[in-house]
Structures are given as structure tokens and as C-alpha cells.
Amino acid sequence: MELERISVVLRPRESREALDLGAAMLRANAGAVWSAWFAFTLPVFVLCNALGVLLGLPWLGLLLVWWLKPLFDRGPLYVLSRAVFDRAPRWRETLRGQRALPWGPTVAGLSWLRVDSHRALRLPLELLEGAPRRQRAARWKVLRRKLVGEASLLTWGCLQFELVLFLSVWLLALWLLPQEWRPVSFASFFRHDVRGAATAWTLAASAVDYLAMSVIEPLYVACGFALYLNRRTELEAWDIDLAFRRLRARLQDLGRVLCLLLCLGLPLAGHAATPAPKAAPVNTPQQVFRQPLDEGDERFAAAAAQVYRDPRFGGERHVRRWELKYSQPARQPVNTGMAPLRLLSGVFNLLLWLVLATVVAALAWFAWRWRGGLREESPPPPSGAKLSMTVDETPEALPRDVAGAARTLWQAQRRREALALLYRGCAERIAQQLQLPFALEATEADWLRHAAALGDPVRTQRATAIVRTWQFAAYAGRYPDQVAFEQLLAGWDGGAA
């Protein structure tokens, strides 16, 4: 391997420091990583959502995009594996380079390993080394040692960051909405607004989730790749190997100088000063991380293959020997530092499986409700029912003279009831003029929108004034004076309101 060309400092690091290294690698190659990411994932995102819309299941696009994360991770890993050797590829080269990476591990990641919390650490081993399955399993047992807790915490931490970004967009949109456009409660929002425009809301949720995924997933891959590099540095002493290679290069340069001093002949000196031919550039990540690449590596690979073929390697062996009955064996120090992280990793994996089962059950229930119960229209209210406008101070039936009854209540110092009666009468008159059905759940914002559709500026202005006055009184305790109240009553009998 051409470790001399590596652009990161190779030394054993703590796991948290290795995660910081992954974030630094991503920042240094942000343009190459995200250009390849969007070039690879954006068409897939559009196709998945289009398929969901065509099938009448808009939530299917959101589910498919989330499920295809192991496929999307191939792009950032390819870019970063090149970038550590000072050769960050462009997005076209990244797309063409996917053919050189194996597809078997990706198929496994999309099926029985989809909820594996160690995916970030497993990806470089499976895609870059390209070892056979049995040898890869043996290497994974060694590579994952001491890192299962960190890999699981990385998965869950990135999942939480993605969820925070997803919810933050919706909360920001909610805060920017005007007061009259906000839903009364989340229950009414999901019961009526989301149900009325299910496809649009689902596509919006899918787009927001894709953007959150686009921010976090490359960071997840970069941190996992940094953990992989750090672990291989610990196992294979890459830092020591690199130091010896640099020392050899310096000694070779010193030898050339000594040859120049000892050999007085110009041809010999010129021959000694001739630089050694450069090695061929690294073209694929497999040439960087796979063995062998030179004669020494070939010998090592042959010896390793012979060890793997040895029946004594791996497996279980039963050994029988005699020992003293009452002898006490020397106690070996037990390293319990990683035990909590291993336990936490197992708990996280169990929780991930439970979450997956819950999501599948919820989707099945939603699909059943979508086909059956949710498409049924709600029964219309009884014919004798009146509009309920969050007003409980008015009688069930409106009086014939609404203005006179409201004036009587106002003079009796029952101002809230007077404004409630006037507001209710205004709402019912708007419904009659627009020929709207009785809506038990209509709010003040709904009637403001209906008032704007009256087509008469005078009636719209008077209805808006009545609704706003009722809002100030009901929610802020601000009541109009006598003159303002009489202006609300003006023109009522003439049908202006």
C-alpha cells in the first residue's frame, strides 16, 4: 500500500478523537462528497416518491428512501477512501466507480442486516477490502473488538440528529405561520388537514426527511470510516510502518549523496542521481486497502492464506489434561471497561428491532385504515344542529332579532355573551350566504377565510370586524367600548353582516 501518500496523520487515537477525525475529513472534502451524494440519491428519491404516488401509497416513498440508506452510503465511502490519499474524485467518477465495489454486502445491508447498528464500521471492511465471506467474518471478529459500543452509539447519535433536524423544520414552519392559520390542536390537524391533503403532506414529510438524511448520513459514513482507519492503525501498526518507510526514503537519499562523494566518475554519479521510477498511481480503493500490492505483501498474503486453511485456525478444540484438585489458578485481570458499552450496544440493537417491528405494525394498520375507515366520510350533523364556534355562552337557537338581543345583553353588563351571540349570528349568516353546510368544528380562522369569499367588501369588512372583536374578547379579555359595539350592530337588520 502507498501509505506515503495518505493525507491524514496515522497514529492510534481514542474513539472519540477518531470520530472527530471523520468529521474533519468530511469538512475537507464536503464538495466532492455532497455532489456525489445528490447525484446518486436525488434520482432515486424522485423515483421512489413517484412510485408511491402512482400506487396510491404516498408513504411508500418515505419508507423506501429510508430503507435504501445502505445503498446511498456507497457514494460517500468511495469519495472518502480516495480523498485520504489526496485524490478526491468527482461525482461522475464516483458513479462509475460503483461498479468496482462489491454488491453482495449491499444486498445483505438492504435485507437481513438492515437494522445492524454497526453498519458504519462494517461498510469499509466489506466494500474496500473485498475479502471472501469466511475470511471477512474472521476479520470482522477482530475489527469489531473494542468498537461495538462506539459503533452503536454513533448509529443512535446520528439517528437522533436526523430526527432533530426533521422536527426542527416543522416547528420552524409552525412558528412562522400566522395565528389564524394555525390549527387549534394537533388532533384536529391530523384528523382534518392531513386527511384532506394526505399526499401533499406525505411528500413534504418525505422531502424534509431526505434533506435531514442528506446532512447526517455522509457524516455517519465518515465517522465510521475514521473508526475503521484507527482500528487498522492499531492492529497493523500503520504509523510504525509509515515511519520506517520515511526512514528508508531518507536513507536512500543519503546513500545517493554518499555515492556521489565516493564515486568520482561522472557517469556513475549521474547514474546514482537518477531517481527511482515512481510507482503506478492508485486507481481504485481496492488497490489501497486490499492485499497484496507488492512482493512483500504477496508473501504475507500467501502466508495468511495458508494460516486460514490450517484446520487448527478458528473453530473449537477440546483439550484434556490433569490438574491439581485444590490448586488455585492465578487470577487474570478482567478488563471491565468495555462491558457497559457492550451491554449498551446489545440493548440498542434490541430497541432497534422493536422500533422496526412497531413501524411495520403501524404502517400495516395505517394502510388498513387508509383503505377502509379513513376514506369514509364523517356523518353530517343533524339538521336541527347549529354551528358550534367555540362559543358556549349562546343559546342553542338564535333569536329572531340578533342585534336587539346582543344590545340587551350588553346593557345588562353581559358583554362576553353579547359578543358571542353576535359572532355566532355573523357566522351563521356567512354560511347561509355562501350556502355552506353546518361545520361543528369551524374556527375563527375558517370564518375569516369564508368572509373574504363573500364578494362584497362592506360585508367582508363588517364580518371581519365582528370576528376580530370576538377574538380579542374571548382570548385576551379586551372588550370594545359602547361606540365600537354600536358600529358592529349597525346595518345588521339590513343584512349587511
Side-chain angles (χ1 to χ4, degrees), residues 99 147 158 161 170 222 266 341 364 491:
R99 295 175 295 181
L147 288 180
C158 291
F161 281 130
W170 296 108
L266 183 59
L341 287 179

Side-chain angles (χ1 to χ4, degrees), residues 136 151 169 216 311:
R136 188 169 65 242
V169 173
I216 300 300

Side-chain angles (χ1 to χ4, degrees), residues 161-451:
F161 281 130
E162 187 175 330
L163 182 62
V164 166
L165 290 179
F166 178 79
L167 296 178
S168 298
V169 173
W170 296 108
L171 290 178
L172 178 63
L174 181 63
W175 288 341
L176 294 179
L177 283 177
Q179 181 68 33
E180 58 268 13
W181 288 5
R182 294 183 184 179
V184 178
S185 63
F186 284 104
S188 63
F189 173 74
F190 286 103
R191 186 182 302 114
H192 303 288
D193 296 346
V194 175
R195 177 184 171 186
T199 301
W201 282 109
T202 307
L203 292 179
S206 180
V208 173
D209 180 69
Y210 171 72
L211 293 177
M213 181 194 308
S214 301
V215 174
I216 300 300
E217 197 66 16
L219 176 63
Y220 175 68
V221 176
C223 292
F225 182 58
L227 287 176
Y228 168 80
L229 290 178
N230 187 55
R231 183 58 176 162
R232 287 200 61 174
T233 302
E234 294 175 353
L235 293 176
E236 303 175 19
W238 278 0
D239 53 338
I240 300 177
D241 186 6
L242 184 58
F244 277 116
R245 292 187 185 210
R246 291 171 177 169
L247 180 61
R248 182 184 65 179
R250 289 198 297 269
L251 291 177
Q252 288 177 349
D253 294 338
L254 181 60
R256 294 190 184 95
V257 175
L258 292 176
C259 288
L260 287 174
L261 295 177
L262 294 175
C263 301
L264 300 178
L266 183 59
L268 296 178
H271 177 71
T274 302
K278 295 184 179 179
V282 177
N283 295 321
T284 62
Q286 289 80 1
Q287 294 178 349
V288 174
F289 294 97
R290 284 183 180 176
Q291 307 278 349
L293 287 178
D294 52 27
E295 296 180 359
D297 288 336
E298 288 179 357
R299 293 194 298 269
F300 175 78
Q306 183 178 359
V307 172
Y308 278 117
R309 289 192 298 267
D310 194 331
R312 294 173 297 176
F313 180 77
E316 297 180 357
R317 291 182 296 168
H318 298 277
V319 179
R320 295 183 180 181
R321 62 184 178 183
W322 291 91
E323 291 185 358
L324 294 177
K325 184 176 181 181
Y326 298 104
S327 63
Q328 294 183 356
R331 293 184 177 180
Q332 298 293 335
V334 180
N335 185 12
T336 60
M338 300 302 298
L341 287 179
R342 293 192 183 97
L343 178 61
L344 191 61
S345 173
V347 172
F348 280 163
N349 283 332
L350 179 60
L351 288 177
L352 195 58
W353 280 105
L354 292 177
V355 168
L356 179 62
T358 304
V359 169
V360 171
L363 288 175
W365 176 84
F366 181 76
W368 176 79
R369 293 280 296 176
W370 179 264
R371 292 296 182 185
L374 282 181
R375 288 193 173 182
E376 297 177 359
E377 295 293 336
S378 57
S383 58
K386 297 294 181 180
L387 293 177
S388 174
M389 314 305 306
T390 68
V391 181
D392 53 1
E393 295 88 350
T394 58
E396 294 184 359
L398 289 177
R400 300 178 66 90
D401 185 8
V402 176
R407 185 179 286 107
T408 302
L409 292 173
W410 183 270
Q411 293 175 356
Q413 300 300 320
R414 298 167 62 181
R415 297 181 297 175
R416 182 182 178 86
E417 297 179 10
L419 293 177
L421 179 61
L422 189 60
Y423 165 61
R424 179 177 170 182
C426 176
E428 291 201 6
R429 184 163 293 184
I430 292 175
Q432 292 174 4
Q433 294 174 356
L434 295 179
Q435 297 181 356
L436 296 175
F438 293 126
L440 298 177
E441 69 279 358
T443 62
E444 291 88 350
D446 296 330
W447 293 117
L448 287 176
R449 289 193 292 269
H450 293 328

Side-chain angles (χ1 to χ4, degrees), residues 457-478:
V458 177
R459 293 182 179 180
T460 299
Q461 183 178 3
R462 181 169 288 106
T464 303
I466 293 175
V467 174
R468 291 298 188 188
T469 303
W470 161 247
Q471 284 183 316
F472 289 144
Y475 302 113
R478 295 170 55 186

